[in-house]
Amino acid sequence: MTLVQDHRPAGTDQRDRFVAAMGNAATGVTVVATDGPGGRCAQTVSAMCSVSADPPSLLVCVNERSPLIEAVRRNGVFSVNVLDTGQAHVADSFAGRSAAGRPYDFGCADWETGRTGAPVLAQAAAAFECVLERDTAQGTHRVLLGHAVASTPGSGAPLLYHARAYGAHRPITPPGATAPGSATVNEETAR
């Protein structure tokens, strides 16, 4: 049996179903930022994932029309800032829909200059400073692969995005297990 892949462009129905299905995937919310000869620029990005711990590397996917792409190429560095649940306003600002102030305004939060020169968001749930390793085209987006030269875990909980809304992680208790912080029958009768 021979399998042949169909590489024709997806029809509107297939594309719409894909977008709807992806809306059911919960993702973390990040702001990818850069600074250097190519300018200071940042954008909200939900497509980010770890690639490897050896060497530490991650990837982000950014629309090819974003000015962030050219700035990262010219600067050769970028940071990935995992937003905390209290930083939804930062996500909105760098997505171009700021409720207060100007969109894409670094004044919406406190930033530090990282080891690479890229801006790093203060109080982020996590931050990664990367050197650009590879820039690959995939459809309407660019996949930026970065070598993480510095990683900073924060103490807050990460902001999540699902079904076109922000949210927060809520642990679930597996069947038969006791929820954290709750007493079991034996603990209660022992009191």
Side-chain angles (χ1 to χ4, degrees):
M1 171 187 249
T2 303
L3 296 177
V4 178
Q5 287 186 319
D6 185 354
H7 294 287
R8 292 176 290 180
T12 302
D13 184 55
Q14 182 180 348
R15 182 192 182 284
D16 292 347
R17 290 173 57 82
F18 177 81
V19 170
M22 288 303 295
N24 280 338
T27 64
V29 182
T30 71
V31 171
V32 176
T34 189
D35 199 359
R40 191 174 201 205
C41 188
Q43 181 176 333
T44 300
V45 173
S46 59
M48 181 280 280
C49 71
S50 167
V51 174
S52 174
D54 298 309
S57 54
L58 57 77
L59 66 78
V60 295
C61 301
V62 180
N63 191 293
E64 65 188 355
R65 294 176 299 172
S66 172
L68 179 65
I69 296 295
E70 188 56 33
V72 168
R73 285 178 182 150
R74 291 187 58 210
N75 295 338
V77 297
F78 62 96
S79 66
V80 178
N81 303 276
V82 178
L83 299 187
D84 181 271
T85 54
Q87 296 174 321
H89 68 285
V90 178
D92 283 341
S93 180
F94 288 100
R97 55 180 188 265
S98 180
R102 294 185 336 240
Y104 306 102
D105 183 5
F106 280 88
C108 72
D110 293 328
W111 296 85
E112 301 164 357
T113 301
R115 276 179 43 180
T116 63
V120 175
L121 181 62
Q123 305 303 313
F128 305 91
E129 297 178 57
C130 300
V131 173
L132 181 63
E133 293 273 324
R134 190 170 301 133
D135 169 8
T136 306
Q138 179 61 43
T140 59
H141 282 62
R142 304 296 301 189
V143 179
L144 304 179
L145 177 66
H147 172 75
V149 296
S151 302
T152 307
S155 59
L159 182 65
L160 301 179
Y161 191 72
H162 171 255
R164 300 192 179 274
Y166 297 124
H169 171 70
R170 187 190 69 188
I172 60 172
T173 303
T178 303
S182 66
T184 64
V185 174
N186 290 338
E187 289 173 348
E188 289 204 16
T189 56
R191 290 185 190 157

